[in-house]
Amino acid sequence: DALVVSLRAAAADGLAVSGMSPFRLRQREHVRHVAAIVEPLDRSLRSTRVLVRMTAVAAHRGRVIPEAYAEVIGEIAAAAETIGGGLAYDTVEQAIPQLMRIADATAHLPRGTSVSADAVLVQMRTIVVDLLEICGFSQMEATDALPPVAPRTP
């Protein structure tokens, strides 16, 4: 988390400098954008660590996680890479269609038979919300972008 702390401090410094210096006026919007994504970036990193821990514990305890979850996790990773590449060029919004497809996919995934599987599904959806926030969605917009999860079938 040292990198997030450094990013948070750099964003605060950048906001201060761009706010005071007329020579930095053109950079002000970019600095504001970077400052705005620090929190959702931090949450997405934390959410990803939680997902890794959950899956490791589920595997250790022999809990069954639906195989389709692995494919969606791969898609989430690909979307995160798209966002990472877009940060340098202010093109993170290119990941939005990808994230919307993932959000839809999580609503239609088969449900697992354990609480561990449900927790993994919820955590994947949390990461999608975090990534949508990095792309400029508010927290409410990002949450509303997730369709409801299909009910468990007996």
Side-chain angles (χ1 to χ4, degrees):
D1 291 317
L3 293 175
V4 173
V5 170
S6 295
L7 180 60
R8 189 175 284 122
D13 290 347
L15 284 172
V17 169
S18 69
M20 293 185 307
S21 173
F23 300 111
R24 301 289 182 189
L25 188 58
R26 287 184 297 209
Q27 297 172 341
R28 190 172 299 164
E29 192 56 37
H30 177 72
V31 171
R32 283 186 185 136
H33 174 70
V34 170
I37 67 168
V38 171
E39 290 306 316
L41 180 63
D42 184 28
R43 281 194 306 275
S44 71
L45 292 170
R46 291 173 191 266
S47 295
T48 301
R49 282 195 299 270
V50 170
L51 178 63
V52 169
R53 250 189 329 271
M54 285 177 169
T55 55
V57 168
H60 177 74
R61 293 186 176 159
R63 305 287 191 259
V64 176
I65 305 293
E67 288 183 32
Y69 289 20
E71 183 177 326
V72 174
I73 290 171
E75 292 172 15
I76 292 170
E81 285 184 24
T82 300
I83 291 168
L87 286 173
Y89 303 104
D90 282 337
T91 59
V92 294
E93 68 280 350
Q94 290 178 351
I96 293 173
Q98 200 175 4
L99 289 167
M100 297 306 284
R101 283 190 303 275
I102 295 166
D104 187 58
T106 64
H108 302 290
L109 285 171
R111 299 290 296 274
T113 57
S114 68
V115 172
S116 295
D118 286 345
V120 168
L121 176 59
V122 168
Q123 198 62 32
M124 288 189 303
R125 290 169 59 88
T126 299
I127 294 169
V128 171
V129 168
D130 296 336
L131 295 176
L132 284 168
E133 286 183 60
I134 293 170
C135 292
F137 282 49
S138 71
Q139 189 168 20
M140 290 304 292
E141 291 169 335
T143 302
D144 288 347
L146 293 176
V149 173
R152 184 183 307 277
T153 55

Coordinates of all heavy atoms in Angstrom, one line a residue, residues 58-151:
A58 N -11.0 -21.0 0.0 CA -12.0 -21.9 -0.6 C -11.3 -23.2 -1.1 O -11.7 -24.3 -0.9 CB -12.8 -21.3 -1.7
A59 N -10.2 -23.0 -1.9 CA -9.4 -24.1 -2.4 C -8.8 -25.0 -1.3 O -8.9 -26.2 -1.3 CB -8.3 -23.6 -3.3
H60 N -8.3 -24.3 -0.3 CA -7.7 -25.0 0.8 C -8.7 -25.9 1.6 O -8.4 -27.0 2.0 CB -7.0 -24.0 1.8 CG -6.5 -24.6 3.0 ND1 -5.3 -25.4 3.0 CD2 -6.9 -24.7 4.3 CE1 -5.1 -25.8 4.2 NE2 -6.0 -25.4 5.0
R61 N -9.9 -25.4 1.7 CA -11.0 -26.1 2.4 C -11.8 -27.0 1.5 O -12.8 -27.6 1.9 CB -11.9 -25.1 3.1 CG -11.2 -24.3 4.2 CD -12.1 -23.5 5.0 NE -11.4 -22.8 6.1 CZ -11.8 -21.8 6.7 NH1 -12.9 -21.2 6.3 NH2 -11.0 -21.3 7.7
G62 N -11.4 -27.1 0.2 CA -12.1 -28.0 -0.7 C -13.5 -27.5 -1.1 O -14.3 -28.3 -1.6
R63 N -13.7 -26.2 -1.0 CA -15.0 -25.7 -1.4 C -15.0 -25.6 -3.0 O -14.0 -25.3 -3.6 CB -15.3 -24.3 -0.9 CG -15.2 -24.2 0.6 CD -16.4 -24.8 1.3 NE -16.4 -24.5 2.7 CZ -16.0 -25.3 3.7 NH1 -15.5 -26.5 3.4 NH2 -16.0 -24.9 4.9
V64 N -16.2 -25.9 -3.5 CA -16.3 -25.9 -5.0 C -16.7 -24.5 -5.4 O -17.7 -23.9 -5.0 CB -17.4 -26.9 -5.5 CG1 -17.6 -26.8 -7.0 CG2 -16.9 -28.3 -5.1
I65 N -15.9 -23.9 -6.3 CA -16.2 -22.6 -6.9 C -16.5 -22.9 -8.4 O -15.7 -23.6 -9.1 CB -15.0 -21.6 -6.8 CG1 -14.6 -21.5 -5.4 CG2 -15.4 -20.3 -7.5 CD1 -15.6 -20.8 -4.5
P66 N -17.6 -22.4 -8.9 CA -18.0 -22.7 -10.3 C -16.8 -22.3 -11.3 O -16.2 -21.3 -11.1 CB -19.2 -21.9 -10.6 CG -19.9 -21.8 -9.3 CD -18.7 -21.7 -8.3
E67 N -16.5 -23.2 -12.2 CA -15.4 -22.9 -13.2 C -15.6 -21.7 -14.0 O -14.6 -21.0 -14.3 CB -15.3 -24.1 -14.1 CG -14.7 -25.4 -13.4 CD -14.5 -26.5 -14.4 OE1 -14.2 -26.3 -15.6 OE2 -14.6 -27.7 -14.0
A68 N -16.8 -21.3 -14.2 CA -17.1 -20.1 -15.0 C -16.6 -18.8 -14.3 O -16.3 -17.8 -15.0 CB -18.6 -19.9 -15.3
Y69 N -16.4 -18.9 -13.0 CA -15.9 -17.7 -12.3 C -14.4 -17.4 -12.7 O -14.1 -16.3 -12.8 CB -15.9 -18.0 -10.8 CG -17.3 -18.0 -10.1 CD1 -18.4 -18.2 -10.9 CD2 -17.4 -17.8 -8.8 CE1 -19.7 -18.2 -10.3 CE2 -18.7 -17.9 -8.2 CZ -19.8 -18.1 -9.0 OH -21.1 -18.1 -8.4
A70 N -13.7 -18.5 -13.0 CA -12.3 -18.2 -13.4 C -12.2 -17.4 -14.7 O -11.4 -16.5 -14.9 CB -11.5 -19.6 -13.5
E71 N -13.1 -17.7 -15.6 CA -13.1 -17.0 -16.9 C -13.5 -15.5 -16.7 O -12.8 -14.7 -17.2 CB -14.1 -17.6 -17.8 CG -14.2 -17.0 -19.2 CD -15.1 -17.7 -20.2 OE1 -15.3 -18.9 -20.1 OE2 -15.7 -17.0 -21.0
V72 N -14.4 -15.3 -15.8 CA -14.8 -13.9 -15.6 C -13.7 -13.2 -14.8 O -13.5 -12.0 -15.1 CB -16.2 -13.9 -14.8 CG1 -16.5 -12.4 -14.4 CG2 -17.3 -14.4 -15.6
I73 N -13.0 -13.8 -13.9 CA -11.9 -13.2 -13.2 C -10.8 -12.8 -14.2 O -10.2 -11.8 -14.2 CB -11.4 -14.1 -12.1 CG1 -12.4 -14.2 -11.0 CG2 -10.0 -13.6 -11.6 CD1 -12.1 -15.2 -9.9
G74 N -10.6 -13.7 -15.2 CA -9.7 -13.4 -16.3 C -10.1 -12.1 -17.1 O -9.3 -11.3 -17.5
E75 N -11.4 -12.0 -17.3 CA -11.9 -10.8 -18.0 C -11.8 -9.6 -17.2 O -11.5 -8.5 -17.7 CB -13.4 -11.1 -18.4 CG -13.6 -12.1 -19.4 CD -15.1 -12.5 -19.7 OE1 -15.9 -11.7 -19.2 OE2 -15.3 -13.5 -20.3
I76 N -12.0 -9.7 -15.9 CA -11.7 -8.6 -15.0 C -10.3 -8.1 -15.0 O -10.0 -7.0 -15.1 CB -12.2 -8.9 -13.5 CG1 -13.7 -9.1 -13.4 CG2 -11.7 -7.8 -12.5 CD1 -14.2 -9.7 -12.1
A77 N -9.4 -9.1 -15.0 CA -7.9 -8.8 -15.1 C -7.6 -8.1 -16.4 O -6.9 -7.1 -16.5 CB -7.1 -10.1 -15.0
A78 N -8.2 -8.5 -17.5 CA -8.0 -7.9 -18.8 C -8.5 -6.4 -18.8 O -7.9 -5.5 -19.3 CB -8.7 -8.7 -19.9
A79 N -9.7 -6.2 -18.2 CA -10.2 -4.9 -18.1 C -9.3 -4.0 -17.2 O -9.1 -2.8 -17.6 CB -11.6 -4.9 -17.5
A80 N -8.8 -4.5 -16.2 CA -7.8 -3.8 -15.3 C -6.6 -3.4 -16.1 O -6.1 -2.3 -16.0 CB -7.5 -4.6 -14.1
E81 N -6.1 -4.3 -17.0 CA -5.0 -4.0 -17.8 C -5.3 -2.9 -18.8 O -4.5 -2.0 -19.1 CB -4.5 -5.2 -18.6 CG -3.8 -6.2 -17.7 CD -3.2 -7.4 -18.5 OE1 -3.0 -7.3 -19.7 OE2 -3.0 -8.4 -17.9
T82 N -6.5 -2.9 -19.4 CA -7.0 -1.8 -20.3 C -7.0 -0.5 -19.5 O -6.5 0.5 -20.0 CB -8.4 -2.1 -20.8 OG1 -8.3 -3.3 -21.5 CG2 -8.9 -1.0 -21.7
I83 N -7.5 -0.5 -18.3 CA -7.5 0.7 -17.5 C -6.1 1.2 -17.2 O -5.7 2.4 -17.3 CB -8.3 0.5 -16.2 CG1 -9.8 0.3 -16.5 CG2 -8.0 1.7 -15.2 CD1 -10.6 -0.1 -15.3
G84 N -5.2 0.2 -16.8 CA -3.8 0.6 -16.5 C -3.1 1.2 -17.7 O -2.4 2.2 -17.5
G85 N -3.3 0.7 -18.9 CA -2.8 1.3 -20.1 C -3.4 2.6 -20.4 O -2.7 3.5 -20.9
G86 N -4.6 2.8 -20.0 CA -5.3 4.1 -20.3 C -5.0 5.2 -19.4 O -5.3 6.4 -19.7
L87 N -4.4 4.9 -18.2 CA -4.2 5.9 -17.2 C -3.2 6.9 -17.8 O -3.3 8.1 -17.5 CB -3.6 5.3 -15.9 CG -4.7 4.6 -15.1 CD1 -4.0 3.9 -13.9 CD2 -5.7 5.6 -14.6
A88 N -2.2 6.5 -18.5 CA -1.2 7.4 -19.0 C -1.7 8.4 -20.1 O -1.2 9.4 -20.3 CB 0.0 6.6 -19.6
Y89 N -2.8 7.9 -20.7 CA -3.3 8.7 -21.9 C -4.7 9.2 -21.7 O -5.3 9.7 -22.6 CB -3.3 7.8 -23.1 CG -1.9 7.3 -23.5 CD1 -1.6 6.0 -23.2 CD2 -0.9 8.1 -24.0 CE1 -0.3 5.5 -23.5 CE2 0.3 7.6 -24.3 CZ 0.6 6.3 -24.0 OH 1.9 5.8 -24.3
D90 N -5.2 9.1 -20.4 CA -6.6 9.6 -20.1 C -7.6 8.9 -21.0 O -8.5 9.5 -21.5 CB -6.7 11.1 -20.2 CG -6.1 11.8 -19.0 OD1 -6.0 11.2 -17.9 OD2 -5.8 13.0 -19.1
T91 N -7.4 7.6 -21.2 CA -8.3 6.8 -22.0 C -8.9 5.6 -21.3 O -9.3 4.6 -21.9 CB -7.7 6.3 -23.3 OG1 -6.5 5.5 -23.0 CG2 -7.2 7.5 -24.2
V92 N -9.0 5.8 -20.0 CA -9.6 4.7 -19.1 C -11.0 4.3 -19.5 O -11.4 3.2 -19.3 CB -9.5 5.0 -17.6 CG1 -8.1 5.0 -17.2 CG2 -10.3 6.2 -17.2
E93 N -11.7 5.3 -20.1 CA -13.1 5.0 -20.5 C -13.2 4.0 -21.5 O -14.3 3.4 -21.7 CB -13.8 6.3 -20.9 CG -13.3 6.9 -22.2 CD -12.0 7.7 -22.1 OE1 -11.6 8.0 -21.0 OE2 -11.5 8.1 -23.1
Q94 N -12.1 3.6 -22.2 CA -12.2 2.5 -23.2 C -12.5 1.2 -22.5 O -13.0 0.3 -23.2 CB -10.8 2.4 -23.9 CG -10.5 3.6 -24.8 CD -9.2 3.5 -25.5 OE1 -8.4 2.6 -25.2 NE2 -8.9 4.4 -26.4
A95 N -12.3 1.1 -21.3 CA -12.6 -0.2 -20.5 C -14.1 -0.3 -20.2 O -14.5 -1.4 -19.8 CB -11.8 -0.3 -19.3
I96 N -14.9 0.8 -20.3 CA -16.3 0.8 -19.9 C -17.1 -0.3 -20.6 O -17.8 -1.1 -19.9 CB -16.9 2.2 -20.0 CG1 -16.2 3.1 -19.0 CG2 -18.4 2.1 -19.7 CD1 -16.7 4.6 -19.1
P97 N -17.0 -0.4 -21.9 CA -17.9 -1.5 -22.5 C -17.5 -2.9 -22.0 O -18.3 -3.8 -21.8 CB -17.6 -1.3 -24.0 CG -17.1 0.1 -24.2 CD -16.4 0.4 -22.9
Q98 N -16.2 -3.1 -21.9 CA -15.6 -4.4 -21.3 C -16.2 -4.6 -19.9 O -16.7 -5.7 -19.6 CB -14.1 -4.2 -21.3 CG -13.3 -5.5 -21.3 CD -11.8 -5.1 -21.4 OE1 -11.4 -3.9 -21.4 NE2 -11.0 -6.1 -21.4
L99 N -16.2 -3.6 -19.1 CA -16.7 -3.8 -17.7 C -18.2 -4.0 -17.7 O -18.7 -4.7 -16.8 CB -16.3 -2.5 -16.9 CG -14.8 -2.4 -16.5 CD1 -14.5 -1.0 -16.0 CD2 -14.4 -3.5 -15.6
M100 N -18.9 -3.3 -18.6 CA -20.4 -3.5 -18.6 C -20.7 -5.0 -19.1 O -21.6 -5.5 -18.5 CB -21.0 -2.5 -19.6 CG -20.8 -1.1 -19.1 SD -21.3 -0.7 -17.4 CE -23.1 -0.7 -17.7
R101 N -19.9 -5.5 -20.0 CA -20.2 -6.9 -20.4 C -19.9 -7.9 -19.2 O -20.6 -8.8 -18.9 CB -19.3 -7.3 -21.6 CG -19.8 -6.8 -22.9 CD -19.0 -7.4 -24.1 NE -17.6 -7.2 -24.0 CZ -17.0 -6.1 -24.5 NH1 -17.7 -5.1 -25.0 NH2 -15.6 -6.0 -24.4
I102 N -18.8 -7.5 -18.4 CA -18.5 -8.3 -17.3 C -19.6 -8.2 -16.2 O -20.0 -9.2 -15.6 CB -17.1 -7.9 -16.7 CG1 -16.0 -8.2 -17.7 CG2 -16.8 -8.6 -15.4 CD1 -14.7 -7.5 -17.4
A103 N -20.1 -7.0 -16.0 CA -21.1 -6.8 -15.0 C -22.3 -7.7 -15.4 O -22.9 -8.3 -14.5 CB -21.5 -5.3 -14.9
D104 N -22.7 -7.7 -16.6 CA -23.8 -8.5 -17.1 C -23.5 -10.0 -16.9 O -24.4 -10.7 -16.5 CB -24.1 -8.2 -18.6 CG -25.4 -8.9 -19.0 OD1 -26.4 -8.6 -18.4 OD2 -25.3 -9.7 -20.0
A105 N -22.3 -10.4 -17.2 CA -21.9 -11.8 -17.1 C -22.0 -12.2 -15.6 O -22.5 -13.4 -15.4 CB -20.5 -12.0 -17.6
T106 N -21.6 -11.4 -14.7 CA -21.7 -11.8 -13.3 C -23.1 -12.0 -12.8 O -23.4 -12.8 -11.9 CB -21.0 -10.8 -12.3 OG1 -21.7 -9.5 -12.4 CG2 -19.6 -10.6 -12.7
A107 N -24.1 -11.4 -13.5 CA -25.5 -11.5 -13.1 C -26.0 -12.9 -13.5 O -27.1 -13.3 -13.0 CB -26.3 -10.4 -13.7
H108 N -25.4 -13.5 -14.5 CA -25.9 -14.7 -15.1 C -25.0 -15.9 -14.8 O -25.3 -17.0 -15.4 CB -26.1 -14.5 -16.6 CG -27.0 -13.4 -16.9 ND1 -28.4 -13.4 -16.6 CD2 -26.8 -12.2 -17.4 CE1 -28.9 -12.3 -17.0 NE2 -28.0 -11.5 -17.4
L109 N -24.0 -15.8 -14.0 CA -23.1 -16.9 -13.7 C -23.9 -17.9 -12.9 O -24.8 -17.6 -12.1 CB -21.9 -16.4 -12.8 CG -20.9 -15.7 -13.6 CD1 -19.9 -15.1 -12.6 CD2 -20.2 -16.6 -14.6
P110 N -23.5 -19.2 -13.0 CA -24.2 -20.2 -12.2 C -23.8 -20.0 -10.7 O -22.7 -19.5 -10.4 CB -23.5 -21.5 -12.7 CG -22.3 -21.1 -13.4 CD -22.5 -19.7 -13.9
R111 N -24.7 -20.2 -9.9 CA -24.5 -20.0 -8.4 C -23.8 -21.2 -7.9 O -24.1 -22.4 -8.3 CB -25.8 -19.7 -7.7 CG -26.5 -18.5 -8.2 CD -25.8 -17.2 -7.8 NE -25.8 -17.0 -6.4 CZ -26.7 -16.5 -5.6 NH1 -27.8 -16.0 -6.2 NH2 -26.5 -16.4 -4.3
G112 N -22.9 -21.0 -7.0 CA -22.2 -22.1 -6.3 C -23.1 -22.7 -5.2 O -24.2 -22.3 -5.0
T113 N -22.5 -23.8 -4.6 CA -23.3 -24.5 -3.6 C -22.8 -24.1 -2.2 O -23.2 -24.7 -1.2 CB -23.2 -26.0 -3.8 OG1 -21.8 -26.3 -3.8 CG2 -23.8 -26.4 -5.1
S114 N -21.9 -23.1 -2.1 CA -21.4 -22.8 -0.8 C -21.4 -21.3 -0.6 O -21.4 -20.5 -1.5 CB -19.9 -23.3 -0.7 OG -19.1 -22.6 -1.5
V115 N -21.2 -20.9 0.7 CA -21.1 -19.5 1.0 C -19.8 -19.0 0.4 O -19.8 -17.8 -0.1 CB -21.1 -19.3 2.5 CG1 -20.8 -17.9 2.9 CG2 -22.5 -19.7 3.1
S116 N -18.8 -19.8 0.3 CA -17.5 -19.3 -0.3 C -17.7 -18.9 -1.7 O -17.2 -17.9 -2.2 CB -16.5 -20.5 -0.2 OG -16.1 -20.7 1.1
A117 N -18.5 -19.7 -2.5 CA -18.8 -19.4 -3.9 C -19.5 -18.1 -4.0 O -19.2 -17.2 -4.9 CB -19.5 -20.5 -4.6
D118 N -20.5 -17.9 -3.1 CA -21.3 -16.7 -3.1 C -20.4 -15.5 -2.8 O -20.5 -14.4 -3.4 CB -22.4 -16.7 -2.1 CG -23.6 -17.6 -2.6 OD1 -23.6 -17.9 -3.8 OD2 -24.4 -18.0 -1.8
A119 N -19.5 -15.6 -1.9 CA -18.6 -14.6 -1.5 C -17.7 -14.2 -2.6 O -17.4 -13.0 -2.9 CB -17.8 -15.0 -0.3
V120 N -17.2 -15.2 -3.4 CA -16.3 -14.9 -4.5 C -17.1 -14.1 -5.6 O -16.6 -13.2 -6.2 CB -15.7 -16.2 -5.1 CG1 -15.1 -16.0 -6.5 CG2 -14.7 -16.8 -4.1
L121 N -18.3 -14.5 -5.8 CA -19.2 -13.8 -6.8 C -19.4 -12.4 -6.4 O -19.2 -11.4 -7.2 CB -20.5 -14.5 -7.0 CG -21.5 -13.8 -7.9 CD1 -21.0 -13.7 -9.3 CD2 -22.8 -14.6 -7.9
V122 N -19.7 -12.1 -5.1 CA -19.9 -10.8 -4.6 C -18.6 -10.0 -4.8 O -18.6 -8.8 -5.2 CB -20.4 -10.8 -3.2 CG1 -20.3 -9.4 -2.5 CG2 -21.8 -11.4 -3.1
Q123 N -17.5 -10.6 -4.5 CA -16.2 -9.9 -4.5 C -15.9 -9.5 -6.0 O -15.3 -8.4 -6.2 CB -15.1 -10.7 -3.9 CG -13.9 -9.9 -3.5 CD -14.2 -8.8 -2.5 OE1 -15.1 -9.0 -1.6 NE2 -13.5 -7.7 -2.5
M124 N -16.2 -10.4 -6.9 CA -15.9 -10.1 -8.3 C -16.7 -8.8 -8.7 O -16.2 -7.9 -9.4 CB -16.3 -11.2 -9.2 CG -15.3 -12.4 -9.2 SD -15.6 -13.7 -10.4 CE -17.3 -14.2 -10.1
R125 N -18.0 -8.8 -8.3 CA -18.9 -7.7 -8.6 C -18.4 -6.4 -7.9 O -18.5 -5.3 -8.5 CB -20.3 -8.0 -8.2 CG -20.9 -9.1 -9.2 CD -22.2 -9.6 -8.7 NE -23.3 -8.7 -8.5 CZ -24.1 -8.3 -9.5 NH1 -24.0 -8.8 -10.7 NH2 -25.1 -7.4 -9.3
T126 N -17.8 -6.5 -6.8 CA -17.3 -5.3 -6.1 C -16.1 -4.8 -6.9 O -16.0 -3.5 -7.0 CB -16.8 -5.7 -4.6 OG1 -17.9 -6.2 -3.9 CG2 -16.1 -4.6 -3.9
I127 N -15.2 -5.6 -7.4 CA -14.1 -5.2 -8.2 C -14.6 -4.4 -9.4 O -14.0 -3.4 -9.8 CB -13.1 -6.3 -8.5 CG1 -12.5 -6.8 -7.2 CG2 -12.1 -5.9 -9.5 CD1 -11.7 -8.1 -7.4
V128 N -15.6 -5.0 -10.1 CA -16.2 -4.3 -11.2 C -16.7 -2.9 -10.9 O -16.4 -1.9 -11.6 CB -17.3 -5.1 -11.9 CG1 -18.1 -4.3 -13.0 CG2 -16.8 -6.4 -12.4
V129 N -17.3 -2.7 -9.7 CA -17.8 -1.4 -9.3 C -16.5 -0.5 -9.1 O -16.5 0.6 -9.6 CB -18.6 -1.5 -8.0 CG1 -18.8 -0.1 -7.4 CG2 -19.9 -2.2 -8.3
D130 N -15.5 -1.0 -8.4 CA -14.3 -0.2 -8.2 C -13.7 0.2 -9.5 O -13.3 1.4 -9.7 CB -13.3 -1.0 -7.4 CG -13.7 -1.4 -6.0 OD1 -14.6 -0.7 -5.4 OD2 -13.2 -2.4 -5.5
L131 N -13.6 -0.7 -10.5 CA -13.0 -0.3 -11.8 C -13.9 0.7 -12.6 O -13.3 1.6 -13.2 CB -12.8 -1.6 -12.6 CG -11.7 -2.6 -12.0 CD1 -11.6 -3.8 -12.9 CD2 -10.4 -1.9 -11.9
L132 N -15.2 0.6 -12.5 CA -16.0 1.5 -13.1 C -15.8 2.9 -12.5 O -15.9 3.9 -13.2 CB -17.5 1.1 -13.0 CG -17.9 0.0 -14.0 CD1 -19.3 -0.5 -13.6 CD2 -17.9 0.5 -15.4
E133 N -15.6 3.0 -11.2 CA -15.3 4.3 -10.6 C -14.0 4.9 -11.1 O -13.9 6.1 -11.3 CB -15.3 4.1 -9.0 CG -16.6 3.9 -8.4 CD -16.6 3.8 -6.9 OE1 -16.1 4.8 -6.3 OE2 -17.0 2.8 -6.4
I134 N -13.0 4.0 -11.3 CA -11.8 4.5 -11.9 C -12.0 5.1 -13.3 O -11.4 6.1 -13.7 CB -10.7 3.4 -11.9 CG1 -10.3 3.0 -10.5 CG2 -9.5 3.9 -12.7 CD1 -9.4 1.8 -10.5
C135 N -13.0 4.6 -14.0 CA -13.4 5.1 -15.3 C -14.2 6.3 -15.3 O -14.7 6.8 -16.3 CB -14.1 4.0 -16.1 SG -13.0 2.6 -16.5
G136 N -14.6 6.8 -14.1 CA -15.3 8.1 -14.0 C -16.7 7.9 -13.5 O -17.4 9.0 -13.3
F137 N -17.2 6.7 -13.2 CA -18.6 6.6 -12.7 C -18.5 7.0 -11.2 O -17.6 6.8 -10.5 CB -19.0 5.1 -12.7 CG -19.4 4.6 -14.0 CD1 -18.7 4.8 -15.2 CD2 -20.6 3.8 -14.1 CE1 -19.1 4.3 -16.4 CE2 -21.0 3.3 -15.4 CZ -20.3 3.6 -16.5
S138 N -19.7 7.5 -10.7 CA -19.8 7.7 -9.3 C -20.0 6.4 -8.7 O -20.4 5.4 -9.4 CB -21.0 8.7 -9.0 OG -22.2 8.0 -9.2
Q139 N -20.0 6.3 -7.3 CA -20.2 5.0 -6.7 C -21.6 4.5 -6.9 O -21.8 3.3 -7.2 CB -19.9 5.1 -5.2 CG -19.9 3.7 -4.5 CD -19.4 3.7 -3.1 OE1 -19.3 4.8 -2.5 NE2 -19.0 2.6 -2.6
M140 N -22.6 5.4 -6.9 CA -24.0 5.0 -7.2 C -24.1 4.6 -8.6 O -24.8 3.6 -8.9 CB -24.9 6.1 -6.8 CG -25.0 6.4 -5.3 SD -25.5 5.0 -4.4 CE -27.2 4.8 -4.9
E141 N -23.6 5.3 -9.6 CA -23.7 4.9 -11.0 C -23.0 3.5 -11.2 O -23.6 2.7 -11.9 CB -23.0 5.9 -11.9 CG -23.7 7.3 -11.9 CD -22.8 8.3 -12.6 OE1 -21.6 8.2 -12.6 OE2 -23.4 9.3 -13.1
A142 N -21.9 3.3 -10.6 CA -21.2 2.0 -10.8 C -22.0 0.9 -10.2 O -22.1 -0.2 -10.8 CB -19.8 2.1 -10.1
T143 N -22.6 1.1 -9.0 CA -23.4 0.1 -8.4 C -24.6 -0.2 -9.2 O -25.0 -1.4 -9.4 CB -23.7 0.5 -6.9 OG1 -22.5 0.7 -6.2 CG2 -24.5 -0.6 -6.2
D144 N -25.3 0.9 -9.7 CA -26.5 0.7 -10.5 C -26.2 0.0 -11.8 O -27.1 -0.5 -12.4 CB -27.1 2.1 -10.7 CG -27.8 2.6 -9.5 OD1 -28.0 1.9 -8.5 OD2 -28.1 3.8 -9.5
A145 N -25.0 0.1 -12.3 CA -24.6 -0.6 -13.5 C -24.6 -2.1 -13.5 O -24.7 -2.8 -14.5 CB -23.2 -0.1 -14.0
L146 N -24.6 -2.6 -12.2 CA -24.6 -4.1 -12.1 C -26.0 -4.6 -12.1 O -26.8 -4.2 -11.2 CB -24.0 -4.5 -10.7 CG -22.5 -4.2 -10.6 CD1 -22.0 -4.6 -9.2 CD2 -21.7 -5.0 -11.6
P147 N -26.4 -5.5 -13.0 CA -27.7 -6.0 -13.0 C -27.8 -7.0 -11.8 O -26.8 -7.5 -11.3 CB -27.8 -6.8 -14.3 CG -26.5 -6.7 -15.0 CD -25.6 -5.9 -14.2
P148 N -29.0 -7.2 -11.3 CA -29.2 -8.1 -10.1 C -28.7 -9.5 -10.5 O -28.8 -10.0 -11.6 CB -30.7 -8.1 -9.9 CG -31.3 -7.1 -10.7 CD -30.3 -6.7 -11.7
V149 N -28.2 -10.2 -9.5 CA -27.8 -11.6 -9.7 C -29.0 -12.5 -9.8 O -30.0 -12.3 -9.1 CB -26.9 -12.0 -8.5 CG1 -26.5 -13.5 -8.5 CG2 -25.6 -11.2 -8.4
A150 N -28.9 -13.5 -10.7 CA -30.0 -14.4 -10.8 C -30.2 -15.2 -9.5 O -29.2 -15.5 -8.8 CB -29.7 -15.4 -12.0
P151 N -31.4 -15.5 -9.2 CA -31.7 -16.2 -7.9 C -31.1 -17.6 -8.0 O -31.0 -18.2 -9.1 CB -33.2 -16.3 -7.8 CG -33.7 -15.9 -9.1 CD -32.6 -15.2 -9.9

